[in-house]
Every structure is written in structure tokens, then in C-alpha cells.
Amino acid sequence: MEPVRTCVGCRTRAPRSALLRVVSIDSVLVLDERASMPGRGAWVHKTPECMDAALRRRAFVRALRVSGPLDTQTIDQYLQRTKG
């Protein structure tokens, strides 16, 4: 039985293997592709729609419980790689 997590973009539940873990290191969002980095993580589908929704709704800030803005440059780069 595989663990189930909730996507912060679309708020649907999915198996952990179908989602990507994102952590905050010094107010910078970092993709945790092996899901092994320390600290609190937020889970999101690997689709541009879910990533955009999470960024637009500031879901990463709430899920990671950080104060202040987050640097989303790594998420933007990931979206550019998947779109192009």
C-alpha cells in the first residue's frame, strides 16, 4: 500500500509516486525529486496546470509554513523545461 498525499495545486489526493515534493531552503523553492530532503515538504502534480495553480494561490507558502515571499525561480525553470 503506497502512501497518499494531497496536491497543493489542485487539492486532489494521489499516490506519492505521482507527485513531486517541493521544499523551501532559505526562502527558495527546491524540487526534491528523490523525496528525501529534510524539512517540511509540499506535494504537487508534475503538470504545469497544478504548478501554476499552486503558485497563483500561494499554496507553497501556506503548505511549507514560511513567512514572507518565496523565490520560485526553480519552479519556473521546471515549467519551461516541461513546456518546451
Side-chain angles (χ1 to χ4, degrees):
M1 182 113 182
E2 187 175 4
V4 176
R5 301 288 184 260
T6 301
C7 173
V8 296
C10 64
R11 304 294 300 156
T12 59
R13 293 169 55 90
R16 183 178 142 160
S17 61
L19 300 172
L20 180 66
R21 185 171 186 257
V22 179
V23 296
S24 173
I25 299 176
D26 297 327
S27 295
V28 176
L29 288 179
V30 178
L31 301 174
D32 184 9
E33 296 183 18
R34 292 189 325 200
S36 62
M37 295 178 96
R40 187 168 189 83
W43 297 85
V44 65
H45 283 108
K46 300 172 187 174
T47 63
E49 294 82 17
C50 284
M51 296 267 192
D52 287 337
L55 292 172
R56 198 172 49 250
R57 294 182 17 225
R58 300 190 59 224
F60 289 118
V61 174
R62 283 192 307 277
L64 298 173
R65 296 183 184 168
V66 293
S67 58
L70 289 171
D71 181 4
T72 61
Q73 182 177 358
T74 55
I75 301 293
D76 294 334
Q77 290 172 352
Y78 178 81
L79 290 173
Q80 292 301 321
R81 282 196 315 259
T82 57
K83 286 180 183 177

